[in-house]
Amino acid sequence: MRCGVCFRHCDLEEGKTGVCGVRTFRDGRSVSLSYGRITGLALDPIEKKPLHRFHPGSMILSAGSYGCNLRCPFCQNFEISWSEEALSGNFSRIVPPEELVIAAEKLRARGNIGVAYTYNEPLVGYEYVRDTAKLVHEAGMLNVMVTNGTASLEVLDELLPYIDAMNIDLKSFDARCYRRLMGGDLAMVRDFISRAVTVCHVELTTLIIPGENDSETEMEELSAWVSGLRDASGQVIGKSIPLHVTRFFPRFRMIDRKATEVAAVYRLAEVARKNLDYVYTGNC
């Protein structure tokens, strides 16, 4: 069958997975092999997601699985996102939704407000996010998702009733760069962001990579588009959507590049501030 989670529409066969490494064909439908398999669990400051305007000063239990539908050569978490070892499942342990919620509740005394689905790409295993997030809400806690935004609106709409905040990567504003560098689809990410902002709190992150997405023209176009985003009633709300402009460091398959100059990050942040009220710089 053909998977409908993202733009790739991988043809799935019994016993084989799509590009993400986790979705397969079983009992006549697309399922995730990573359901309930956790590779990372930590209590983090909410600002680390990064979310600067959503319950600042609080903590959140961060949970990650494995698998990703992009192929970013600068990935910071490639060991759990799409390395052979990660996709084998050997790095993970099974944590059912109920068990993760119990862990989150036990951490309330340490300032925990809920669960963040992060580290790898949570959308490739969205069923686990959906099922856990329902229980988190029933426990009176909050859900955060950190995502590349590369999923269909049908998948997003299954999650939106239970997600309170997202940080979404807007890795470039050039469709060719998205396809060539990350193997992604800018149009799908734009549609995802446009829908998400109508329902929950959204902050965006753009990692500045020298020679790829570091022009003032591109940042002007990106921030201008964000500033025009609208809520469910059609009112323009984009100027108040926070944008995190962050610094690239040599990593994974891009160790031949120098780290982004700090001055370049600040310069592009100033360009974005012409269109947006909340622009933050990171790793500077």
Side-chain angles (χ1 to χ4, degrees):
M1 69 169 295
R2 179 161 290 182
C3 181
V5 169
C6 76
F7 72 97
R8 294 185 182 279
H9 300 297
C10 294
D11 290 322
L12 302 178
E13 299 179 26
E14 193 84 31
K16 297 184 179 180
T17 60
V19 171
C20 66
V22 301
R23 301 207 68 82
T24 192
F25 177 75
R26 182 181 292 167
D27 299 327
R29 60 193 181 97
S30 168
V31 299
S32 170
L33 296 176
S34 64
Y35 189 98
R37 292 194 169 273
I38 298 298
T39 58
L41 200 60
L43 186 64
D44 290 329
I46 194 76
E47 289 82 4
K48 191 177 178 180
K49 297 305 93 191
L51 289 170
H52 281 12
R53 302 191 66 80
F54 182 79
H55 295 268
S58 60
M59 305 292 286
I60 194 157
L61 179 61
S62 297
S65 185
Y66 64 89
C68 185
N69 54 357
L70 295 188
R71 289 295 180 264
C72 303
F74 47 83
C75 182
Q76 296 181 351
N77 290 326
F78 71 92
E79 295 94 341
I80 63 170
S81 291
W82 46 282
S83 69
E84 290 185 9
E85 292 84 359
L87 297 182
S88 70
N90 292 334
F91 286 172
S92 62
R93 62 187 178 95
I94 297 177
V95 181
E98 297 81 3
E99 185 176 325
L100 186 57
V101 175
I102 290 171
E105 290 185 295
K106 288 181 178 178
L107 291 168
R108 284 182 191 261
R110 294 176 59 185
N112 183 41
I113 61 171
V115 175
Y117 310 91
T118 181
Y119 301 145
N120 75 308
E121 176 46 57
L123 290 170
V124 299
Y126 74 92
E127 297 94 338
Y128 181 74
V129 176
R130 178 198 62 205
D131 296 349
T132 306
K134 285 182 182 180
L135 298 179
V136 170
H137 268 188
E138 290 174 7
M141 305 185 81
L142 302 173
N143 293 292
V144 166
M145 189 163 67
V146 182
T147 175
N148 62 32
T150 306
S152 69
L153 296 184
E154 289 77 14
V155 168
L156 177 60
D157 283 342
E158 279 202 48
L159 297 175
L160 277 177
Y162 316 107
I163 303 299
D164 301 288
M166 295 188 203
N167 184 287
I168 306 171
D169 283 337
L170 184 52
K171 297 174 184 286
S172 171
F173 210 63
D174 183 309
R176 289 172 296 181
C177 178
Y178 242 94
R179 180 73 67 176
R180 172 181 56 81
L181 194 62
M182 283 81 69
D185 185 88
L186 175 60
M188 175 166 273
V189 177
R190 286 175 52 157
D191 289 345
F192 188 99
I193 293 170
S194 297
R195 173 74 177 120
V197 300
T198 67
V199 177
C200 69
H201 177 86
V202 170
E203 300 191 20
L204 305 174
T205 295
T206 300
L207 178 72
I208 303 302
I209 304 171
E212 299 291 351
N213 62 347
D214 58 347
S215 73
E216 293 187 15
T217 298
E218 182 169 340
M219 181 55 72
E220 167 63 30
E221 293 174 353
L222 184 154
S223 58
W225 177 78
V226 173
S227 71
L229 290 169
R230 299 173 181 270
D231 65 13
S233 69
Q235 182 177 352
V236 176
I237 59 168
K239 281 183 65 66
S240 64
I241 294 174
L243 174 66
H244 300 261
V245 182
T246 59
R247 187 184 182 203
F248 161 85
F249 290 94
R251 180 71 169 151
F252 191 28
R253 293 177 177 169
M254 293 188 79
I255 57 174
D256 58 326
R257 305 286 182 99
K258 292 183 178 180
T260 313
E261 295 289 339
V262 172
V265 175
Y266 285 131
R267 172 173 50 81
L268 293 174
E270 286 304 312
V271 172
R273 288 190 180 99
K274 297 175 184 177
N275 293 311
L276 304 173
D277 292 337
Y278 306 108
V279 180
Y280 302 96
T281 54
N283 300 326
C284 290

